Amino acid sequence: MAPSNAPDDPETRTFEATVEDGGGEVTLSETYFYPAGGGQPADRGTLGGHDVLDVRTTDDEVVHVIDGQLEAGETVTGKIDPEFRRYCMRAHTASHVLYGAGRRLFDELGYGGFDIAPEKVRVDFRTPTEIDDDTLVELERLVNRCVWDSRAVSWERLPREEALACDDVAFNTKTEEGITGETVRVVEIDGWDAAACGGTHVPNTRRIGPVTVLNRSNPGEGLTRVEFAVGEGAIDRRATEKRATVEAAGAIGTNAESLPEEVRRLEAEIDTLEDERDELRSTLLGYRIDSIAADGFERDGLRWAAGVVDADTNALAEAVRDRPGDIDVLLLATPNGQLAVGAGGADASAIVEELTETFGGGGGGSPEVAQAGGLDTDGAGLVDHLRG
Ligand SMILES: [Zn+2]
């Protein structure tokens, strides 16, 4: 029994063969079904009219797990699901193209792993190069350029030593796929990439169609995982990204090409406006404190000023630090009753302690500046209490 004919003859989708081992796990005189391996999933299809549930290699035999039973000696027709096979051929070849693009962009590149799933494909690059967003865009551009260039894809078996001696051939050392045995199967994309591989491929890169990089992650030390889509997934992802870009550009009244520049300009404008806003707030707070100070009162032989200010607590703490000269104790409260106290000639933290004993809540600070919150009164109630 020979291994699967699928890698060398990936276009044959219907074939006849004799059942050798019968039952629900069938071996055949020959097969064009691809057994799961080297990152490529098993073919789907039917055998003798039964659905093929799985195809795997067991003890060098290709075993077809079917939804039914077949008798040894029967002649059966195998039908490979053409759509899924076509997807795997395209996705698999795309991974070689991606690796070839990586050769042009990354230092000390090594092969880290590969996997085809129905929606996306991943390739793990082993490289010290940090793969940033720009590099990812360039990687995708090179891949699609190679697809457009219509490079021939070929496969042949080379004596093992010859293939291993060739520096330009990438090996999937993780699974040892294609490098065990007397000969090594080498898949070559003309002028672009060569790799030891036992999978099914398209004969020309143009048959891959559009490729879209989806994302990147780091599955381990020195490894970068790049996920990409071919076919429908690639086309849909591009449309989604394009729609988002056009919508974002439209929202700020520019076009897609000018979007980054326009976003940077808006960021700078926001920074300037925020600075202006903070300055105005601080000026307003100053006016408000002046008016609170003008309405000061005597308490325990000290000159007090207290009032409600609509500002955040950090601004309050800053403000009470610079009391007007004739005020010994300045207390500023937010409308909901958070407060800051600045004091000279009195202990601000002791004042906070006294207030939290009366109204609950908690706080603390130094003799110069203290803060409190969670009191069972609002800002106006607090000021009324202090004024007596
Ligand atoms: Zn391959």
Side-chain angles (χ1 to χ4, degrees):
M1 155 85 220
S4 171
N5 296 330
D8 289 335
D9 187 358
E11 302 296 341
T12 296
R13 307 288 160 76
T14 304
F15 65 98
E16 291 205 336
T18 309
V19 175
E20 290 187 342
D21 289 330
E25 301 196 355
V26 177
T27 62
L28 300 170
S29 53
E30 66 167 349
T31 186
Y32 289 80
F33 275 97
Y34 183 83
Q40 186 177 331
D43 272 326
R44 300 165 180 174
T46 59
L47 189 60
H50 303 291
D51 281 340
V52 174
L53 306 174
D54 189 21
V55 188
R56 57 178 179 242
T57 307
T58 308
D59 301 329
D60 288 336
E61 294 271 351
V62 180
V63 177
H64 310 72
V65 181
I66 58 167
D67 187 16
Q69 301 277 320
L70 288 170
E71 300 256 331
E74 258 185 272
T75 298
V76 288
T77 301
K79 285 184 180 166
I80 291 148
D81 178 340
E83 223 162 286
F84 189 64
R85 165 64 78 76
R86 205 178 300 126
Y87 169 74
C88 288
M89 287 163 69
R90 289 172 157 192
H92 199 143
T93 314
S95 78
H96 291 256
V97 173
L98 191 79
Y99 193 85
R103 289 176 188 266
R104 281 148 183 84
L105 295 174
F106 309 144
D107 301 325
E108 300 164 45
L109 182 61
Y111 186 81
F114 155 72
D115 186 66
I116 300 176
E119 302 81 23
K120 62 187 178 185
V121 187
R122 68 167 171 81
V123 172
D124 292 346
F125 292 102
R126 187 172 291 285
T127 173
T129 304
E130 202 195 316
I131 303 178
D132 58 14
D133 288 342
D134 272 358
T135 314
L136 219 53
V137 170
E138 180 60 7
L139 192 71
E140 183 184 280
R141 192 189 69 78
L142 283 179
V143 168
N144 285 292
R145 179 68 218 213
C146 177
V147 169
W148 173 254
D149 285 345
S150 304
R151 292 175 186 269
V153 182
S154 59
W155 40 86
E156 63 171 338
R157 292 206 151 266
L158 295 179
R160 181 184 155 80
E161 294 314 313
E162 192 182 316
L164 283 171
C166 182
D167 284 345
D168 289 341
V169 178
F171 288 96
N172 182 352
T173 47
K174 211 173 201 174
T175 60
E176 298 231 315
E177 200 246 323
I179 67 166
T180 51
E182 296 285 294
T183 58
V184 175
R185 187 168 185 272
V186 174
V187 175
E188 191 179 348
I189 297 172
D190 186 32
W192 191 258
D193 185 75
C197 184
T200 60
H201 306 84
V202 291
N204 189 294
T205 56
R206 69 171 169 267
R207 298 257 302 260
I208 296 168
V211 178
T212 304
V213 169
L214 303 175
N215 56 50
R216 140 213 60 189
S217 57
N218 292 87
E221 180 78 26
L223 279 181
T224 300
R225 172 166 298 173
V226 174
E227 290 182 322
F228 65 93
V230 298
E232 214 175 316
I235 295 163
D236 289 353
R237 172 64 170 249
R238 244 179 243 189
T240 302
E241 286 181 351
K242 179 123 195 179
R243 206 173 287 126
T245 308
V246 167
E247 198 181 316
I252 58 171
T254 188
N255 53 36
E257 289 75 18
S258 308
L259 189 54
E261 193 192 323
E262 188 60 12
V263 166
R264 276 193 291 275
R265 193 189 65 73
L266 284 173
E267 275 172 347
E269 195 174 306
I270 288 168
D271 284 349
T272 307
L273 288 173
E274 279 179 348
D275 287 350
E276 281 177 23
R277 180 202 62 195
D278 291 348
E279 221 165 285
L280 285 169
R281 274 185 182 165
S282 150
T283 307
L284 261 180
L285 186 59
Y287 288 149
R288 176 77 185 121
I289 290 168
D290 286 348
S291 112
I292 290 169
D295 195 24
F297 56 93
E298 297 295 324
R299 191 171 199 270
D300 302 332
L302 294 167
R303 187 76 188 154
W304 276 64
V308 179
V309 174
D310 199 356
D312 69 55
T313 50
N314 289 336
L316 291 194
E318 272 307 304
V320 298
R321 217 176 278 280
D322 298 320
R323 280 168 292 114
D326 57 334
I327 299 296
D328 299 313
V329 179
L330 174 62
L331 182 145
L332 298 175
T334 64
N336 66 8
Q338 288 178 295
L339 66 94
V341 186
D347 183 344
S349 62
I351 293 168
V352 157
E353 200 174 310
E354 191 191 312
L355 289 170
T356 52
E357 265 167 29
T358 309
F359 294 106
S366 68
E368 289 76 34
V369 178
Q371 287 174 274
L375 281 69
D376 192 18
T377 181
D378 60 11
L382 204 58
V383 172
D384 284 351
H385 166 78
L386 290 168
R387 299 185 78 101

